[in-house]
Amino acid sequence: MMNNKKQLGIYIHIPFCMHKCVYCDFLSAPADDNTKKMYVNALINEIKSVKEGKEDEVSSIFFGGGTPSVLASSLIDDIMAVIAGEYNISDDAEITIECNPGTLDYDKAAGYRKSGINRISFGLQSTDDDELKMLGRIHNLKQFEESFQAARRAGFNNINVDIMASLPGQSFKSFSQVLKKAVSYNPEHISVYSLILEEGTYLFEHIGEFPEVPDEDTDRKIYAFTGSLLKEAGYEQYEISNYALPGYECRHNLKYWERGNYLGFGIGAASLYDNTRFTNITHMGEYIKCLEMPLRGDAHIIADIRENVEMLTKNDTMSEFMFLGLRKTKGVSMDKFNTTFKRDIMDVFGDVIKENERNGLLEISDDRIFLTKRGMDISNRVMADFLLN
């Protein structure tokens, strides 16, 4: 029997952490236990009050932050129970929680498994204790190993490890040692992101206090080495910064790149539903105040916590189809574009595609258009070409 329900992803933003890292520009900060409980109560009321997606099938849930694992596992369990009561979660849904090493022990991991979570994403960032200290991370390598082993003992067989590259003072050789060490733990998924100096962060404002950041040539060498080493280890690159053993691609993140429907809950959380994009307010006090009362299905409350609501035009959606889809190594399907938009892709983007193909940045093979290795090096520049007025 065919399942005709729309597939939905759910993102839960937990904006708490133990300590703000020097490079972090995410919506997160330390908080006391009372604030955490008030926030979770507001979050639960938001989930109950939102009307979108209640007839859909939830195929992925992602707890991000911040550091969701700073919450007591009982609070995560409360959130999961409400989602299960309000939405149709598929039996094989991918349910991820981000964890900071040092905040996860066996009991907490076992609690996550009991509540239905089946994937953990560890923010390791480096296997070098000096680099971790420089970044302001609260953990060391030994604590990561203990948390990783606790997750395995609790039954997690789908684990991601995040690594940062091109850190201040990092060389190609020192990064290669970090990556090799990370691979030695045999996680199912590895994400490798080059450091970006974001305005407003401590690192950006005090960059002179840190060792020199690797130059662009070193960064490109690191990127090429990452793909080569992980391929040898059995990981397939399926997106610019993401590598997975076969069958372990992050299904939730694929929704973002393939423009699937997803709803974000919590402060600052973003959503895309039926070609409408919107984000939640970012002020903690206002968010909690709006959702203090459990007024189920109150449209006025939800309107108060949403901002930047944008109904996407056809040009918007065609552009997004291209510059999000091209993040994937397999690129985009021309046939799917033509079917989705009732337009021939070459009529809309032919000049851009041909120019980037001539410049060795895009490649066409059968039905698919995708970035070349050189194109991935300057992917943002290529994707900008697909913006329609």
Side-chain angles (χ1 to χ4, degrees):
M1 190 171 181
M2 288 189 65
N3 183 354
N4 294 318
K5 288 184 177 180
K6 290 192 294 186
Q7 298 293 296
L8 177 70
I10 288 178
Y11 174 79
I12 305 292
H13 188 66
I14 306 298
F16 309 120
C17 56
M18 299 288 289
H19 171 76
K20 193 79 170 176
C21 298
V22 299
Y23 58 85
C24 179
D25 71 333
F26 294 148
L27 186 56
S28 62
D32 58 35
D33 288 343
N34 186 54
T35 300
K36 292 173 185 175
K37 289 178 181 178
M38 291 173 64
Y39 179 78
V40 170
N41 182 63
L43 185 63
I44 285 171
N45 288 340
E46 182 191 359
I47 294 168
K48 289 179 177 179
S49 298
V50 165
K51 292 185 176 180
E52 293 98 339
K54 295 297 172 74
E55 300 303 317
D56 300 342
E57 182 176 66
V58 176
S59 55
S60 68
I61 301 171
F62 196 104
F63 287 81
T67 306
S69 55
V70 302
L71 289 184
S73 57
S74 60
L75 293 177
I76 297 293
D77 191 52
D78 290 344
I79 298 168
M80 280 296 300
V82 172
I83 296 173
E86 295 290 324
Y87 288 91
N88 303 306
I89 304 177
S90 64
D91 292 339
D92 66 342
E94 174 195 86
I95 306 177
T96 304
I97 187 166
E98 290 184 335
C99 294
N100 209 45
T103 64
L104 184 77
D105 57 18
Y106 173 78
D107 289 341
K108 188 176 279 189
Y112 293 159
R113 288 293 295 131
K114 188 175 179 180
S115 69
I117 294 170
N118 52 31
R119 184 176 184 269
I120 284 182
S121 180
F122 280 113
L124 172 57
Q125 312 312 353
S126 176
T127 61
D128 183 293
D129 284 346
D130 289 336
E131 289 182 348
L132 291 171
K133 186 176 181 180
M134 174 188 65
L135 293 173
R137 303 296 288 169
I138 65 166
H139 69 276
N140 56 34
L141 181 61
K142 184 174 184 294
Q143 289 172 307
F144 163 74
E145 291 173 342
E146 291 170 349
S147 293
F148 189 91
Q149 290 161 8
R152 287 295 197 213
R153 290 200 309 274
F156 282 93
N157 60 6
N158 191 355
I159 297 179
N160 169 63
V161 171
D162 280 347
I163 297 293
M164 295 185 72
S166 296
L167 301 176
Q170 196 171 60
S171 66
F172 172 79
K173 182 179 180 180
S174 65
F175 172 79
S176 67
Q177 293 170 341
V178 166
L179 186 62
K180 288 174 183 177
K181 185 66 175 176
V183 170
S184 73
Y185 299 109
N186 299 311
E188 285 70 30
H189 190 287
I190 297 180
S191 301
V192 184
Y193 303 100
S194 289
L195 173 70
I196 298 175
L197 295 176
E198 301 284 3
E199 283 192 57
T201 63
Y202 185 91
L203 182 59
F204 182 90
E205 302 294 342
H206 301 85
I207 189 62
E209 300 174 8
F210 292 83
E212 188 175 354
V213 175
D215 59 26
E216 189 173 340
D217 286 344
T218 303
D219 184 64
R220 290 301 94 205
K221 187 178 178 183
I222 284 173
Y223 184 73
F225 171 78
T226 298
S228 176
L229 177 72
L230 293 181
K231 185 175 182 180
E232 285 181 20
Y235 295 86
E236 296 178 359
Q237 183 179 15
Y238 68 100
E239 191 268 346
I240 290 173
S241 302
N242 287 274
Y243 309 78
L245 298 178
Y248 287 96
E249 298 83 1
C250 181
R251 283 153 45 193
H252 185 81
N253 285 343
L254 282 168
K255 281 189 177 65
Y256 298 150
W257 304 318
E258 295 175 352
R259 299 193 71 257
N261 282 332
Y262 56 90
L263 293 173
F265 297 97
I267 59 170
S271 302
L272 171 65
Y273 194 82
D274 285 350
N275 277 334
T276 300
R277 287 196 181 277
F278 49 91
T279 56
N280 283 352
I281 57 176
T282 58
H283 191 277
M284 175 73 74
E286 289 180 18
Y287 177 81
I288 291 175
K289 185 177 180 180
C290 285
L291 291 158
E292 280 178 327
M293 302 298 291
L295 300 177
R296 186 182 182 87
D298 192 310
H300 177 69
I301 290 176
I302 298 307
D304 284 346
I305 66 165
R306 287 182 181 175
E307 58 186 6
N308 303 322
V309 179
E310 180 185 10
M311 296 276 296
L312 299 179
T313 66
K314 188 172 184 178
N315 277 0
D316 291 333
T317 56
M318 288 191 295
S319 290
E320 287 189 358
F321 181 97
M322 297 302 295
F323 66 70
L324 290 174
L326 284 171
R327 291 192 63 87
K328 301 178 297 176
T329 54
K330 68 177 184 179
V332 299
S333 162
M334 292 186 285
D335 184 61
K336 185 175 181 181
F337 182 98
N338 300 344
T339 302
T340 301
F341 300 108
K342 306 296 188 286
R343 296 279 305 275
D344 189 297
I345 192 171
M346 298 308 289
D347 289 342
V348 181
F349 293 115
D351 291 344
V352 170
I353 291 170
K354 290 174 183 175
E355 180 181 359
N356 280 285
E357 188 181 20
R358 281 195 300 271
N359 292 334
L361 305 176
L362 284 178
E363 187 174 334
I364 300 175
S365 178
D366 297 326
D367 174 52
R368 308 203 70 86
I369 302 173
F370 51 91
L371 291 169
T372 63
K373 287 186 177 181
R374 183 163 166 247
M376 283 193 176
D377 285 345
I378 54 171
S379 57
N380 288 341
R381 194 183 310 170
V382 178
M383 291 168 190
D385 290 344
F386 289 92
L387 290 171
L388 295 169
N389 296 325

